[in-house]
Amino acid sequence: MKKTTLKEIAETLGISISTVSKALKNYPDVSAKTKKRVIDLAESLQFTPNTFAQSLRSNESKTIGVIIPSMVHYYFSSILDAIIKESEKNGYMVIILQSNEDHELEKKQINLLLNKGVDGILISLANGTKDFQYLQKVIDYGIPLVLFDKINKLLKCSKVIINDIKASYDVVTYLINKGYKRIAYFRGDLNPQNSIDRFLGYKKALEDNGIKYDSSLVYLSPIANFDEGYANAKKLIEEDKIDVDAIYTITDLTAIGVINYLNEKNIKIPDEIAVFGFSNWFMSSVITPTLSSVEQNAYRTGEKSVELLFKEIDSKQKGEPFKHETITIDTELVIRNST
Amino acid sequence: MKKTTLKEIAETLGISISTVSKALKNYPDVSAKTKKRVIDLAESLQFTPNTFAQSLRSNESKTIGVIIPSMVHYYFSSILDAIIKESEKNGYMVIILQSNEDHELEKKQINLLLNKGVDGILISLANGTKDFQYLQKVIDYGIPLVLFDKINKLLKCSKVIINDIKASYDVVTYLINKGYKRIAYFRGDLNPQNSIDRFLGYKKALEDNGIKYDSSLVYLSPIANFDEGYANAKKLIEEDKIDVDAIYTITDLTAIGVINYLNEKNIKIPDEIAVFGFSNWFMSSVITPTLSSVEQNAYRTGEKSVELLFKEIDSKQKGEPFKHETITIDTELVIRNST
DNA sequence: TTGTAGGCGTTATCAT
DNA sequence: ATGATAACGCCTACAA
């Protein structure tokens, strides 16, 4: 079985290809009778235009590309969920690539997408990313680009982020108000902006509440996974930081590592040590104790990102100017039993 | 900035388009000198062939489509991870769609992918799927199709599955050997094959061990999510099934719902009631108590699925005949603290 | 060794 | 109201 073409319809009906094309596109200058004959036959043959030919002609693929660090990740998969659903509504398909937090791979993938001819690109940057030339290239090519979550401030494109400084500030302020005084922080690498910002929020909240920042309470968790949380908690306990009464982490997965270690050691949460995460993974609502966290509204982040992208694609098609926006998604503290 | 074309290179060098094309494809009948001139210029202009034109001509998109029920799902996202990585290695991109367990949507998406001109389709069927005509259509069109996880036996295409009957049989046998006698089962809908098979395995294991199957110990969990696990556990306890000493569920998420309810009610796991899941989600290794489960090797499932797909695409291109295969992925019991 | 020409399928402009 | 024609960019059989 082969796909039907305009040519076949034309030959069957004994008319020209261009008339067929016009009939199907409901041009006004085709007689009602011809139109009907064409449409009926097209339907019975299940005709759909060849997208390769359409793309070649229009230079549009009706496809967008998304690059995320990793797929098996509650936050990113939720964002993708939104991106895919919204794109489908708009008649677009989505190609997904994983940078695996590898800067070089990310670069290669951007080029793959450009070569592929996608109509727009959404990306959450890999942690290592320092040089942004290849992203500038996307902009130079005139391909709409939206950064989300892990962004770079300097690039001239739309962005969707949360206010990490404020969210983090709120967490620490909440902990302080609850009576915690020695709050450890398991921070991420100081490369993605949000990692920096969460750390800043932590420090600022301490400062504003008259608590002196103590760098010995800060542990590094560059990958921000379970094992690092577990290992850092172990280190903290074994270093006899007995006055630490709360641990706040860059993300939930790390916090869950912490919880697992403390549970193993029979250290009571939150009585002896409280734990606060970030991102509100589903998992956090079902572990013991349930984990307090920051709801990041992943779905909305995805929604807003494609929305901006399609707006820009639209403007481009119409030849209208487009003004880049930065949208900040609201976050909320979700208080559970770990604090 | 615009993409370079063969024509531009040809004009710049004052030679014909076909010579440029041949030079870049390293045809033997182009002089070394011309070849060098072309390649150098192409490189400096960062020439890459227009994929729309290539696709139109070759009728290949170097893109495959994947349909899964849902993205925010540990098992499926792990499979996607494998699919994307393996495809990239083979120079293919991946378009992902979510059927949302909606049969009609799935049908529409299959058509979208066919119209898009993907070179192959991977799909894990929605639960409701009963009519398979539109999948037959894929086969009739000659588009390689591989079913994984939730399959239909009757379709003539490659498949990647696990042996659900055996895996389930092993779980229940293990429980019986451990001394559990009244084993409740929270089963899924009897529509996807694997749901049926897990139920069969459960029954067979009871039978083979001289335990009479008791339908009052079977609870339905059609969506197989957390809430259903929680609700069914509640129902079971409130129905005073006090002799039940183990609960085995269709999937981990449901089991985790069960654990949460039992924990809330201070029912000791596994002393009063043991819990066994299926799929070995990451989450299961970090909840309290850690959950015994069946490792399904999602990544391998993804790997094998694309491998079969690419084999078939390859055969098709070479015009060779292709023999469909059904690959069964090994599973293992992962015993943790809940049993 | 190089170039010409035709076609992949669609669409839009310009005749008729 | 309909059709002929060219173009999108690439590829290749064939001609020179």
Side-chain angles (χ1 to χ4, degrees), chain A residues 221-230 250-257, chain B residues 282:
Chain A
S221 174
I223 310 178
N225 62 6
F226 177 90
D227 290 339
E228 286 179 353
Y230 186 96
I250 177 95
T251 189
D252 276 12
L253 203 45
T254 315
I256 288 168
Chain B
F282 172 77

Short mmCIF file of all heavy atoms in Angstrom, two decimals, chain A residues 221-230 250-257, chain B residues 282:
data_model
loop_
_atom_site.label_atom_id
_atom_site.label_comp_id
_atom_site.label_asym_id
_atom_site.label_seq_id
_atom_site.Cartn_x
_atom_site.Cartn_y
_atom_site.Cartn_z
N SER A 221 26.74 18.88 46.30
CA SER A 221 26.02 17.76 45.71
C SER A 221 25.83 18.04 44.23
O SER A 221 24.76 18.41 43.77
CB SER A 221 24.68 17.65 46.45
OG SER A 221 23.86 16.70 45.87
N PRO A 222 26.90 17.87 43.45
CA PRO A 222 26.89 18.33 42.06
C PRO A 222 25.89 17.62 41.15
O PRO A 222 25.31 18.23 40.26
CB PRO A 222 28.32 18.07 41.58
CG PRO A 222 28.99 17.25 42.62
CD PRO A 222 28.19 17.26 43.84
N ILE A 223 25.68 16.34 41.37
CA ILE A 223 24.74 15.62 40.50
C ILE A 223 23.33 15.72 41.06
O ILE A 223 22.34 15.53 40.36
CB ILE A 223 25.15 14.12 40.37
CG1 ILE A 223 26.63 14.01 40.01
CG2 ILE A 223 24.28 13.41 39.35
CD1 ILE A 223 27.11 12.59 39.90
N ALA A 224 23.26 16.00 42.34
CA ALA A 224 21.96 16.17 43.00
C ALA A 224 21.11 14.91 42.91
O ALA A 224 19.93 14.97 42.59
CB ALA A 224 21.22 17.38 42.43
N ASN A 225 21.71 13.78 43.21
CA ASN A 225 20.95 12.53 43.19
C ASN A 225 20.80 11.95 44.60
O ASN A 225 21.23 12.54 45.59
CB ASN A 225 21.61 11.53 42.25
CG ASN A 225 23.02 11.17 42.69
OD1 ASN A 225 23.46 11.58 43.76
ND2 ASN A 225 23.72 10.42 41.86
N PHE A 226 20.23 10.79 44.66
CA PHE A 226 20.00 10.11 45.94
C PHE A 226 21.30 9.82 46.68
O PHE A 226 21.45 10.15 47.86
CB PHE A 226 19.25 8.80 45.66
CG PHE A 226 19.01 7.96 46.87
CD1 PHE A 226 17.85 8.12 47.61
CD2 PHE A 226 19.93 6.99 47.25
CE1 PHE A 226 17.61 7.34 48.73
CE2 PHE A 226 19.70 6.21 48.37
CZ PHE A 226 18.54 6.38 49.11
N ASP A 227 22.25 9.24 45.97
CA ASP A 227 23.49 8.81 46.62
C ASP A 227 24.25 9.97 47.27
O ASP A 227 24.81 9.82 48.36
CB ASP A 227 24.40 8.12 45.59
CG ASP A 227 23.83 6.77 45.18
OD1 ASP A 227 23.01 6.21 45.93
OD2 ASP A 227 24.21 6.27 44.10
N GLU A 228 24.25 11.09 46.58
CA GLU A 228 24.95 12.24 47.15
C GLU A 228 24.27 12.72 48.43
O GLU A 228 24.94 13.14 49.38
CB GLU A 228 25.00 13.38 46.14
CG GLU A 228 25.99 13.14 45.02
CD GLU A 228 26.01 14.29 44.02
OE1 GLU A 228 25.15 15.20 44.13
OE2 GLU A 228 26.88 14.28 43.13
N GLY A 229 22.97 12.67 48.44
CA GLY A 229 22.25 13.08 49.64
C GLY A 229 22.60 12.16 50.80
O GLY A 229 22.90 12.60 51.91
N TYR A 230 22.59 10.88 50.50
CA TYR A 230 22.91 9.87 51.50
C TYR A 230 24.34 10.08 52.02
O TYR A 230 24.59 10.13 53.22
CB TYR A 230 22.77 8.48 50.88
CG TYR A 230 22.94 7.33 51.84
CD1 TYR A 230 21.83 6.73 52.42
CD2 TYR A 230 24.20 6.85 52.15
CE1 TYR A 230 21.98 5.66 53.30
CE2 TYR A 230 24.36 5.79 53.03
CZ TYR A 230 23.25 5.19 53.59
OH TYR A 230 23.40 4.15 54.46
N ILE A 250 19.21 20.84 47.59
CA ILE A 250 18.98 21.43 46.27
C ILE A 250 17.79 20.79 45.54
O ILE A 250 17.13 21.42 44.74
CB ILE A 250 20.26 21.30 45.41
CG1 ILE A 250 20.08 21.82 43.98
CG2 ILE A 250 20.75 19.86 45.32
CD1 ILE A 250 20.49 23.21 43.79
N THR A 251 17.54 19.50 45.83
CA THR A 251 16.39 18.85 45.18
C THR A 251 15.90 17.66 46.00
O THR A 251 16.61 17.16 46.88
CB THR A 251 16.74 18.44 43.74
OG1 THR A 251 15.56 18.00 43.08
CG2 THR A 251 17.76 17.31 43.72
N ASP A 252 14.69 17.22 45.71
CA ASP A 252 14.06 16.17 46.51
C ASP A 252 14.83 14.86 46.54
O ASP A 252 14.92 14.21 47.57
CB ASP A 252 12.65 15.87 45.96
CG ASP A 252 11.62 16.84 46.50
OD1 ASP A 252 12.02 17.86 47.10
OD2 ASP A 252 10.41 16.58 46.34
N LEU A 253 15.37 14.49 45.40
CA LEU A 253 16.06 13.22 45.33
C LEU A 253 17.20 13.17 46.35
O LEU A 253 17.42 12.17 47.04
CB LEU A 253 16.60 13.01 43.92
CG LEU A 253 16.86 11.59 43.46
CD1 LEU A 253 15.72 10.66 43.81
CD2 LEU A 253 17.11 11.56 41.95
N THR A 254 17.90 14.27 46.45
CA THR A 254 18.98 14.39 47.43
C THR A 254 18.41 14.32 48.85
O THR A 254 18.95 13.64 49.72
CB THR A 254 19.70 15.74 47.24
OG1 THR A 254 19.94 15.94 45.86
CG2 THR A 254 21.00 15.77 48.00
N ALA A 255 17.30 15.00 49.05
CA ALA A 255 16.66 15.00 50.37
C ALA A 255 16.24 13.59 50.76
O ALA A 255 16.33 13.19 51.92
CB ALA A 255 15.45 15.93 50.36
N ILE A 256 15.81 12.84 49.78
CA ILE A 256 15.36 11.48 50.06
C ILE A 256 16.56 10.60 50.43
O ILE A 256 16.46 9.71 51.28
CB ILE A 256 14.56 10.93 48.85
CG1 ILE A 256 13.21 11.65 48.82
CG2 ILE A 256 14.35 9.42 48.97
CD1 ILE A 256 12.42 11.46 47.55
N GLY A 257 17.70 10.89 49.85
CA GLY A 257 18.93 10.22 50.26
C GLY A 257 19.24 10.54 51.72
O GLY A 257 19.61 9.66 52.51
N PHE B 282 12.18 3.11 40.97
CA PHE B 282 13.23 3.62 41.85
C PHE B 282 12.69 3.88 43.25
O PHE B 282 13.28 3.53 44.27
CB PHE B 282 13.82 4.91 41.29
CG PHE B 282 14.77 5.57 42.25
CD1 PHE B 282 16.06 5.07 42.40
CD2 PHE B 282 14.36 6.63 43.04
CE1 PHE B 282 16.92 5.64 43.31
CE2 PHE B 282 15.23 7.20 43.96
CZ PHE B 282 16.51 6.71 44.10
#
